[in-house]
Amino acid sequence: MFNSLSGRLLILTTIFVMIAEILIFVPSIARFREDYLNNRLERAQIASLALLADDMIDRELEKELLENAGVFNVVLRRDQIRQLMLSSDIPQPVSATFDLRDNSALVLIQDALSRFMSPQNEIIRVIGAPVRDAGLLIEITMETQPLRMAMIDYGIRILVLSAVISIITAGLLFVAMRALLLKPIKRVVVDMQNYAEAPEDARRIISPSASVTELREAEEALQKLETDLTQALRQKDRLAQLGSAVSKISHDLRNILTTAQLFTDRIEMSEDPAVKRMAPKLVGSITRAVHLCESTLAFGKAEEPSPTLTMLGLRQLVEEVIESETLAIGEYDLVLDCNVPASMTVRADPEQLYRVLANLMRNARQAIIATGNPGSVCVTGHEDNEAWWIEITDTGPGLPPKAREFLFTPFQGGARKGGSGLGLAISEELVRGHGGTLTLEETSQEGTRFTICLPKGDGTMTARMSEIAI
């Protein structure tokens, strides 16, 4: 009970209300003391009227008047004359004098607390102003025990009333908070537990219904989160099914390409000059297709295979990619340029780096051709003490916002209509397998630039690589 939100809310509400009542109690007890003393002054003034009406009163009447007023002596100052109106024996000396004519609230509170905490019965002198301008001042002597007992009785009644008020207030607040906040929170928890049992079921997604603004915002945020998660799980299932289908297709396609590879062996024996010139390219293309099918099968089981790192000439590899892409350009006004030093070598997997460059250049080529305008794609390379850097720059129309948002996400980062977005996702994974990074440096209507960074060390990102990745 006390560990629950509702139990703690009830306890805290009761405590806070009691604190508020205590803060009210202190000045109220001071006011009660002041009223009590003023009442004694008024009674004493009324008792003294009997002596003003008749200069001589008997001792018994005087004693009765003083007892009714609750005082020992009454002194009235009229016309600058201080006159003892009524008097009786004082059991002990006067211990303190209090002037009620001009006291601040702080002084009244201090005097009240002091009297409230002091159990001794003392004799005090109280000075005040007579009512109805019946003199300059009136002065009485009285004992403090009746005053203290009256203050204690008043304090007990105030504390009991405060406790009742705090309990009622806490109860009402508890009922209100339970109806307005605790029950909606519990409903959200139940909805979350219900959704967790079957997150793929869109019917279990929470429907915001809270009337409290903050709680409704939380429900709307939870609804968006559950919707995105459900879509992601469905996408995951579709990708798993697609991966299974691609693996099966790749298996059969590998067998077909293996058969085609046997025929290319005989084609290489032809004496036709044109055949001799084209046969190596055909053999290389089929070999890469076989390797791609084998990699796809491996990806369907786990992920891209680890790269087989060797030192290779980057310019030669880029020229092979350009030569392959040139065949697809046809009559379009598109220039493919290689600006890589002839002596530059990099440590990479030849097949995987070829796929990365081919994907990036193919995307650039398709984007430029789709515009119908002339353009160019340039591959440049340089190195420093930490890494090899390869830049692929084009003069295409730039990447659309969706492609930038889901840049390396399969089936979502496609830059052109009908594109699957697999090229960039595969390229990023292959580069990451080399310990490097594939980064979109800039994209606009003037063109796009991607940067590949292949570290020379053990694959850890240096400060410069971290800055570029950011």
Side-chain angles (χ1 to χ4, degrees):
M1 171 64 180
F2 297 116
N3 289 330
S4 64
L5 180 61
S6 57
R8 293 183 178 183
L9 180 63
L10 180 61
I11 294 174
L12 288 176
T13 303
T14 304
I15 292 175
F16 291 153
V17 171
M18 289 298 294
I19 292 175
E21 292 294 341
I22 290 174
L23 294 177
I24 296 174
F25 170 79
V26 173
S28 66
I29 198 70
R31 174 59 64 182
F32 175 81
R33 171 184 172 274
E34 183 182 23
D35 292 341
Y36 183 94
L37 296 178
N38 283 325
N39 179 264
R40 290 296 180 272
L41 290 172
E42 291 178 7
R43 288 185 181 185
Q45 181 178 346
I46 293 173
S48 66
L49 292 177
L51 182 61
L52 293 176
D54 186 356
D55 290 339
M56 297 297 294
I57 59 176
D58 59 35
R59 193 66 182 171
E60 293 297 327
L61 179 59
E62 182 178 9
K63 181 179 180 182
E64 184 178 353
L65 290 173
L66 290 172
E67 288 178 352
N68 289 334
V71 300
F72 293 110
N73 293 319
V74 179
V75 175
L76 187 64
R77 179 176 293 180
R78 297 164 56 88
D79 301 326
Q80 303 298 325
I81 301 175
R82 186 174 183 274
Q83 182 179 2
L84 179 62
M85 305 299 296
L86 299 171
S87 66
S88 64
D89 295 335
I90 300 176
Q92 64 189 62
V94 175
S95 61
T97 300
F98 300 96
D99 191 341
L100 301 182
R101 291 175 297 178
D102 188 20
N103 272 339
S104 64
L106 181 60
V107 172
L108 291 174
I109 290 175
Q110 290 176 344
D111 292 341
L113 292 178
S114 176
R115 177 55 50 206
F116 194 81
M117 301 302 295
S118 177
Q120 294 85 4
N121 186 22
E122 300 175 345
I123 303 299
I124 60 173
R125 179 182 290 109
V126 181
I127 301 173
V131 296
R132 299 184 180 277
D133 298 328
L136 297 177
L137 64 81
I138 185 170
E139 177 184 316
I140 61 175
T141 55
M142 56 177 288
E143 57 182 347
T144 59
Q145 191 64 24
L147 169 61
R148 182 172 181 273
M149 296 306 297
M151 292 174 63
I152 291 176
D153 180 68
Y154 174 79
I156 291 175
R157 286 187 281 112
I158 287 294
L159 290 178
V160 171
L161 180 62
S162 300
V164 173
I165 292 175
S166 64
I167 293 174
I168 295 175
T169 304
L172 293 176
L173 183 59
F174 172 76
V175 172
M177 293 296 291
R178 185 176 180 83
L180 296 176
L181 188 61
L182 299 180
K183 284 187 177 180
I185 290 177
K186 182 64 176 178
R187 185 172 61 251
V188 172
V189 173
V190 172
D191 287 336
M192 293 174 65
Q193 293 171 342
N194 183 47
Y195 175 79
E197 293 176 357
E200 298 87 354
D201 188 355
R203 297 173 299 175
R204 295 175 181 255
I205 296 177
I206 187 173
S207 298
S209 59
S211 57
V212 181
T213 302
E214 292 78 4
L215 189 56
R216 186 173 184 86
E217 291 176 353
E219 288 182 340
E220 291 173 351
L222 180 60
Q223 182 187 42
K224 183 179 184 304
L225 177 63
E226 291 180 348
T227 302
D228 294 343
L229 179 58
T230 298
Q231 293 177 351
L233 291 174
R234 290 180 178 178
Q235 180 73 359
K236 180 180 178 181
D237 291 338
R238 287 196 293 266
L239 289 176
Q241 296 171 3
L242 179 60
S244 177
V246 169
S247 296
K248 295 175 182 178
I249 295 172
S250 297
H251 178 271
D252 294 339
L253 183 59
R254 182 189 59 179
N255 294 336
I256 297 172
L257 290 174
T258 302
T259 303
Q261 216 171 12
L262 297 176
F263 288 112
T264 57
D265 293 339
R266 294 190 178 183
I267 292 176
E268 285 183 314
M269 299 172 59
S270 174
E271 298 297 332
D272 189 332
V275 173
K276 283 187 175 183
R277 187 174 64 255
M278 299 298 295
K281 298 177 182 178
L282 178 60
V283 171
S285 298
I286 293 178
T287 300
R288 290 192 180 95
V290 172
H291 289 165
L292 178 59
C293 290
E294 292 175 346
S295 299
T296 303
L297 290 173
F299 181 83
K301 295 177 182 178
E303 57 183 9
E304 289 286 350
S306 299
T308 303
L309 301 179
T310 60
M311 298 302 298
L312 58 94
L314 180 60
R315 183 180 181 88
Q316 181 180 357
L317 185 66
V318 173
E319 288 177 346
E320 290 183 17
V321 177
I322 290 177
E323 190 172 2
S324 175
E325 288 297 314
T326 302
L327 296 176
I329 292 177
E331 298 179 355
Y332 288 101
D333 188 6
L334 177 61
V335 178
L336 304 180
D337 187 24
C338 175
N339 189 19
V340 178
S343 61
M344 182 175 176
T345 58
V346 299
R347 185 175 64 244
D349 185 305
E351 293 299 329
Q352 292 190 3
L353 185 57
Y354 181 95
R355 290 170 58 189
V356 172
L357 295 173
N359 281 330
L360 294 174
M361 293 188 69
R362 185 183 305 111
N363 288 345
R365 168 177 60 81
Q366 292 172 346
I368 294 174
I369 291 177
T371 64
N373 299 322
S376 64
V377 182
C378 180
V379 180
T380 61
H382 65 278
E383 61 180 303
D384 54 27
N385 294 331
E386 298 173 348
W388 294 283
W389 304 87
I390 307 172
E391 294 183 353
I392 299 88
T393 307
D394 66 67
T395 59
L399 296 176
K402 183 180 179 181
R404 293 196 296 268
E405 182 179 359
F406 303 100
L407 189 61
F408 300 120
T409 305
F411 305 104
Q412 295 190 42
R416 59 186 176 84
K417 186 177 181 180
S420 63
L422 279 173
L424 285 177
I426 293 174
S427 299
E428 193 272 338
E429 183 177 349
L430 292 175
V431 174
R432 184 156 30 92
H434 285 70
T437 58
L438 174 59
T439 308
L440 174 63
E441 297 292 339
E442 58 181 344
T443 182
S444 64
Q445 295 180 352
E446 285 73 31
T448 301
R449 177 163 59 93
F450 281 93
T451 297
I452 300 171
C453 176
L454 301 176
K456 290 185 175 182
D458 57 0
T460 57
M461 296 293 99
T462 60
R464 180 178 175 185
M465 293 166 63
S466 298
E467 293 175 0
I468 291 184
I470 293 172

